[in-house]
Amino acid sequence: MSSPNLALPLATLLREGTRKAHETVENSPGAVALLSGRLPKEEYIRYLMMLWHVYNAFEQALEQHATHPALEPTYNPTLLARGPPLSADIAHLLDVPEASWKTHPIYLALLKDTPPALKAYVDRVRELAESPDPSPLLAHAYVRYLGDLSGGQTIRRTIGKAYGLDEASGEGLAFYAFKELKSTKPATQGEMKRIKEWFREGMNKAGEQGDDVKASVVREANTAFDLNTGLFSAINAELAEEPKEISIVIEQPSEEKTFSLSQIISVIAAVCLAHFVLITGGFTGDRGYQKLLAVQQWFSQFTASTSE
């Protein structure tokens, strides 16, 4: 692996330096099961509980070091904090008051038999929080928050339909919702793009602290992706429901073509994953254009293979 060009802005270094880690987490069985909305409701709730532990740990760490020069430019808990909305979603899905979900049997079972991947994630965040240099915490904010603002939005509708949630009210889907950068109004897709631009500018400002900061944040970002892959592995993906094999007939002048629901779900999942890669990985300049051509070619081949 070649050494990164530390003359580049930190946001660029992170995008370029975490490509392989992106691919690994996207292809994990747990991520695919979550993305397709095929997890049993209880397993989805259990995953949200694990996420709550992660956010609770690193958002406390960010608050602890809110004035650190590498963390202050992107520190905005009013805008970004995911712990509170996760708590609200868990309570809604369990149909219990928010103050009492931590006494629910699902949560108690999680505490009794904590997945090693969850413990490793939380322990790593706490280790950074207590270290002489907490700047690598920025990597965890980058991986989680930009993922939530980008790829996380692609599964909101899938999750809503899978678990019978009302998208209009947003109840049970608060984790995927953000406010505008400069107001309390719900953020549109365009506003979320502006939030991501603001965050990347903040990361670049943090990178001005020196090459050591840049290098440590890029290294930690790959660690953060590995930890998220581990978290997905803690999902009991084998519990995912198999898609029902119903056929949809598309009438054509000379022939009929049928597609099974599993094929359709595969195409939808592929589009969502491609969307996540393009947005979080960057989609500008010559490389962005080449990436678009590659995705177009790949998707054409993918759809052709699923229809055979």
Side-chain angles (χ1 to χ4, degrees), residues 12-278:
T12 303
L13 287 169
L14 284 165
R15 184 179 67 241
E16 298 294 329
T18 58
R19 291 186 186 278
K20 290 184 179 179
H22 267 131
E23 294 173 3
T24 301
V25 71
E26 290 157 9
N27 293 325
S28 66
V32 173
L34 175 69
L35 184 64
S36 64
R38 293 189 290 115
L39 286 179
K41 186 177 180 179
E42 285 193 2
E43 189 61 18
Y44 175 64
I45 294 171
R46 179 175 171 273
Y47 172 68
L48 293 187
M49 289 174 173
M50 289 193 289
L51 271 188
W52 179 85
H53 272 283
V54 170
Y55 279 99
N56 186 55
F58 94 74
E59 287 179 345
Q60 285 184 10
L62 292 177
E63 180 181 9
Q64 179 181 344
H65 299 286
T67 60
H68 189 280
L71 301 174
E72 188 275 335
T74 56
Y75 183 68
N76 189 336
T78 301
L79 177 69
L80 297 173
R82 297 294 87 193
L86 274 170
S87 179
D89 285 350
I90 293 167
H92 180 80
L93 288 162
L94 291 173
D95 194 23
V96 299
E98 188 172 345
S100 65
W101 67 259
K102 292 176 186 176
T103 62
H104 193 278
I106 296 177
Y107 184 70
L108 296 178
L110 180 65
L111 291 183
K112 183 177 180 180
D113 188 18
T114 303
L118 174 58
K119 185 178 185 302
Y121 203 150
V122 172
D123 286 350
R124 177 56 181 166
V125 169
R126 289 174 176 166
E127 178 185 0
L128 291 174
E130 300 306 321
S131 68
D133 177 21
S135 58
L137 286 168
L138 178 60
H140 291 272
Y142 161 73
V143 170
R144 286 304 329 176
Y145 289 144
L146 283 194
D148 299 335
L149 285 160
S150 303
Q153 299 308 306
T154 66
I155 67 170
R156 183 179 189 272
R157 184 167 297 175
T158 300
I159 295 298
K161 290 182 178 180
Y163 307 115
L165 303 173
D166 183 0
E167 288 190 61
S169 70
E171 292 184 323
L173 296 166
F175 174 64
Y176 307 103
F178 287 82
K179 302 297 184 183
E180 290 186 350
L181 186 59
K182 296 182 178 179
S183 80
T184 58
K185 296 179 181 179
T188 62
Q189 287 292 340
E191 180 64 17
M192 287 185 186
K193 181 179 179 181
R194 284 187 284 274
I195 294 172
K196 288 185 288 185
E197 290 171 351
W198 164 82
F199 194 91
R200 292 188 181 106
E201 289 172 1
M203 289 194 299
N204 288 339
K205 186 175 181 181
E208 294 173 1
Q209 297 301 311
D211 288 353
D212 287 347
V213 169
K214 288 182 179 180
S216 66
V217 172
V218 172
R219 282 195 303 270
E220 188 64 26
N222 281 284
T223 298
F225 272 112
D226 289 344
L227 290 167
N228 276 279
T229 300
L231 205 62
F232 278 127
S233 73
I235 293 176
N236 293 323
E238 66 272 12
L239 297 178
E241 299 174 358
E242 291 297 327
K244 296 179 180 178
E245 293 296 327
I246 62 174
S247 294
I248 298 175
V249 178
I250 300 177
E251 294 186 0
Q252 296 180 343
S254 58
E255 63 177 350
E256 289 186 344
K257 212 165 190 180
T258 62
F259 298 88
S260 70
L261 183 57
S262 62
Q263 290 173 318
I264 294 171
I265 289 175
S266 296
V267 173
I268 293 173
V271 172
C272 290
L273 291 176
H275 176 270
F276 181 84
V277 172
L278 290 173

